[in-house]
Amino acid sequence: MASYKKPRLRDVALRRLLSVVFVTLCGVLLLIFLLGTNSTTTIETNDLESVDDNDDGSGYHRDLKFTKFQKLPQQSDLSLKVEKLNDLPPRNLDLFPNLAKDAIIIVLYVHNRPQYLKVVVESLSKVVGINETLLVVSHDGYFEEMNEIIRGIRFCQVKQIYAPYSPHLFPNSFPGVSAGDCKEKDDAEVKHCEGNPDQYGNHRSPKIVSLKHHWWWMMNTVWDGLGETRAHSGHILFIEEDHFIFPNAYRNLQILTTLKPTKCPDCYAANLAPSDVKFRGEEWESLIAERMGNIGYTFNRTVWGKIHNKARDFCFFDEYNWDITMWATVYPSFGGSVYTLRGPRTSAVHFGKCGLHQGQEENKACIDNGMANILVEDHDKVANIDSDWDVHFHKNQPGYKAGFKGWGGWGDDRDRHLCLSFADMYHSKGTAAPL
């Protein structure tokens, strides 16, 4: 009897030991998985320093349907490094693993005005529903102070992208400043310099042309190239670093985009603010249809397709501002009035006191007392659009229209063809949807 029990006790002990080893091994593997996941969703170091100089880029562009053309400029070292950052995953996936089914993606495009960016990020943090969507921040250039502000966001998923052909990334060559470039009103034949003047005889300024280049690259990338957005079938909201967003903006926009197909089927977009940047709204009990504005505008893939089809018109119009180019050439080509739908009270305001890329330094931030003094009232904190309202149409509004010849600044053939190259970078497979 004793000789029979002893082997059974040994077997029981062995099975217990194997169970302990198995459980321990599973625990170690789970810990490794969690640590690996966290390292990919939270990036707190200088992102540019983490890029491997010896990496040939073959591991990147997994999320970008990207095709390089020989006509694109040869990239600088900084451009190559920055481009690789575009494939990093969104931040805060551990906090917000899923987007809402009907999410309106938000794209914030910025340059280098940290004082402005702090204001818009603070306003976004108070927007009701912001945690349901993805915030894409598109950078024109690489500036660590701007990155630090974005890294501090904890209220939603955040994806950063960088325009790899920004003139600010090319210190010694096109699209930046080249040694042989013509300047101001130089005569190319006399000076033996490179460049084509605009209609007023002025040669390109990299600082100026970057505005239009960034917007066009961003639009093509967000709609047709970026893994997180290229399959998005809904609307996308576009805002700038000097737009203050009210707490009710996202909920109001959800209502507007839902009502648009029935209330204003010919409206191409929805806006958070009036086209007149100084106007706060009519305060009527009515929806408003008016000309497209450039503050808090949102549209869908169908409208993007119409815009993209006019790439040559956009890229060859001698005007350095993207919005004036749209008003004077692209929108008129659609035929008829191009309306946008908005509420009678603004849900976003422009707070910058100077334009272009001014206002980088803290003491020259173009903001009163270093901050935006914007009054947010109780009705700005909750959705204030009634789905039963009728639509009032503003017709024959003043502003840039077909026939305006442009302010110039966009006469160089190199800029025009680089712009066209951006339109060819990606291959969209989006399906058309109602306006």
Side-chain angles (χ1 to χ4, degrees):
M1 184 70 69
S3 63
Y4 173 74
K5 288 183 177 180
K6 197 169 185 179
R8 291 198 61 184
L9 289 172
R10 188 181 301 113
D11 292 343
V12 171
L14 180 60
R15 284 197 294 271
R16 288 179 176 174
L17 177 62
L18 290 175
S19 298
V20 171
V21 171
F22 178 74
V23 171
T24 303
L25 181 60
C26 288
V28 171
L29 291 174
L30 179 61
L31 180 61
I32 292 173
F33 173 77
L34 291 174
L35 289 174
T37 301
N38 186 63
S39 67
T40 61
T41 57
T42 305
I43 306 163
E44 298 297 340
T45 58
N46 184 323
D47 297 333
L48 202 58
E49 293 179 357
S50 66
V51 174
D52 184 358
D53 290 332
N54 297 318
D55 193 328
D56 63 2
S58 60
Y60 290 87
H61 296 303
R62 292 189 303 273
D63 290 336
L64 291 177
K65 289 194 172 183
F66 183 81
T67 303
K68 284 197 174 183
F69 296 87
Q70 291 183 351
K71 57 188 175 183
L72 284 170
Q74 182 176 354
Q75 291 179 261
S76 65
D77 290 341
L78 182 56
S79 170
L80 289 168
K81 282 188 173 183
V82 163
E83 187 177 37
K84 293 175 182 179
L85 297 178
N86 292 344
D87 197 52
L88 293 175
R91 289 186 168 88
N92 301 331
L93 288 176
D94 53 335
L95 301 176
F96 309 99
N98 300 304
L99 303 181
K101 185 178 180 180
D102 59 346
I104 298 174
I105 292 173
I106 302 173
V107 177
L108 167 63
Y109 46 106
V110 304
H111 174 56
N112 185 27
R113 296 185 285 189
Q115 295 301 311
Y116 281 25
L117 184 58
K118 289 175 183 177
V119 172
V120 68
V121 167
E122 176 64 21
S123 72
L124 284 171
S125 71
K126 298 176 181 177
V127 169
V128 179
I130 191 73
N131 59 307
E132 302 171 7
T133 191
L134 168 69
L135 173 64
V136 178
V137 182
S138 183
H139 295 264
D140 181 17
Y142 185 91
F143 305 98
E144 186 53 36
E145 188 174 359
M146 300 291 283
N147 290 324
E148 185 178 352
I149 295 170
I150 301 303
R151 283 197 287 267
I153 293 177
R154 291 292 182 269
F155 49 79
C156 66
Q157 285 189 27
V158 184
K159 169 82 176 184
Q160 288 179 270
I161 57 175
Y162 301 84
Y165 293 94
S166 167
H168 305 283
L169 302 178
F170 291 78
N172 303 307
S173 61
F174 177 84
V177 178
S178 301
D181 281 352
C182 298
K183 298 178 177 62
E184 298 179 350
K185 291 185 178 291
D186 284 348
D187 186 318
E189 293 185 2
V190 174
K191 292 279 189 176
H192 301 290
C193 54
E194 185 176 8
N196 311 97
D198 64 12
Q199 59 188 308
Y200 304 105
N202 298 303
H203 286 278
R204 73 187 297 267
S205 166
K207 178 180 177 182
I208 298 299
V209 299
S210 69
L211 297 168
K212 190 168 176 175
H213 277 313
H214 180 212
W215 189 87
W216 188 240
W217 174 87
M218 172 193 69
M219 283 291 169
N220 281 276
T221 297
V222 167
W223 285 111
D224 297 334
L226 198 62
E228 290 82 0
T229 55
R230 67 169 178 255
H232 183 66
S233 59
H235 285 69
I236 297 180
L237 168 67
F238 295 91
I239 58 177
E240 296 187 49
E241 63 189 345
D242 56 0
H243 294 172
F244 184 96
I245 311 302
F246 288 170
N248 65 0
Y250 190 76
R251 294 297 185 225
N252 274 348
L253 201 58
Q254 287 179 312
I255 297 172
L256 288 169
T257 54
T258 300
L259 294 176
K260 185 160 62 72
T262 55
K263 292 285 187 177
C264 188
D266 293 330
C267 283
Y268 284 77
N271 263 83
L272 292 177
S275 59
D276 181 351
V277 298
K278 298 180 180 179
F279 186 47
R280 296 300 179 90
E282 296 82 358
E283 300 287 337
W284 300 339
E285 291 188 354
S286 171
L287 297 171
I288 306 298
E290 65 168 357
R291 70 192 297 266
M292 285 273 286
N294 59 5
I295 298 179
Y297 53 96
T298 178
F299 53 85
N300 63 16
R301 188 170 297 279
T302 299
V303 175
W304 164 242
K306 293 177 72 68
I307 294 172
H308 187 267
N309 286 340
K310 300 298 179 180
R312 179 166 288 275
D313 294 343
F314 181 89
C315 292
F316 276 76
F317 185 62
D318 189 8
E319 167 59 57
Y320 67 90
N321 290 289
W322 67 264
D323 48 1
I324 298 177
T325 300
M326 294 294 290
W327 287 321
T329 63
V330 177
Y331 295 149
S333 71
F334 291 171
S337 300
V338 177
Y339 286 110
T340 186
L341 188 67
R342 65 169 173 83
R345 302 174 186 86
T346 191
S347 290
V349 294
H350 176 269
F351 62 83
K353 296 179 67 178
C354 55
L356 296 180
H357 290 330
Q358 302 170 14
Q360 286 93 336
E361 299 86 359
E362 187 168 354
N363 62 342
K364 297 179 181 178
C366 305
I367 304 176
D368 292 329
N369 300 319
M371 60 185 297
N373 298 312
I374 297 170
L375 177 63
V376 178
E377 301 183 60
D378 288 341
H379 63 75
D380 300 320
K381 299 177 182 179
V382 295
N384 53 17
I385 293 176
D386 192 329
S387 59
D388 292 329
W389 286 344
D390 292 329
V391 181
H392 176 85
F393 285 80
H394 285 318
K395 299 181 179 181
N396 301 318
Q397 290 178 283
Y400 295 100
K401 294 180 174 67
F404 177 67
K405 66 178 184 177
W407 294 113
W410 193 264
D412 199 301
D413 285 342
R414 293 172 297 174
D415 287 313
R416 294 175 172 184
H417 286 97
L418 177 59
C419 178
L420 280 180
S421 296
F422 292 158
D424 294 334
M425 286 191 303
Y426 310 107
H427 302 279
S428 174
K429 292 186 178 181
T431 56
L435 294 177

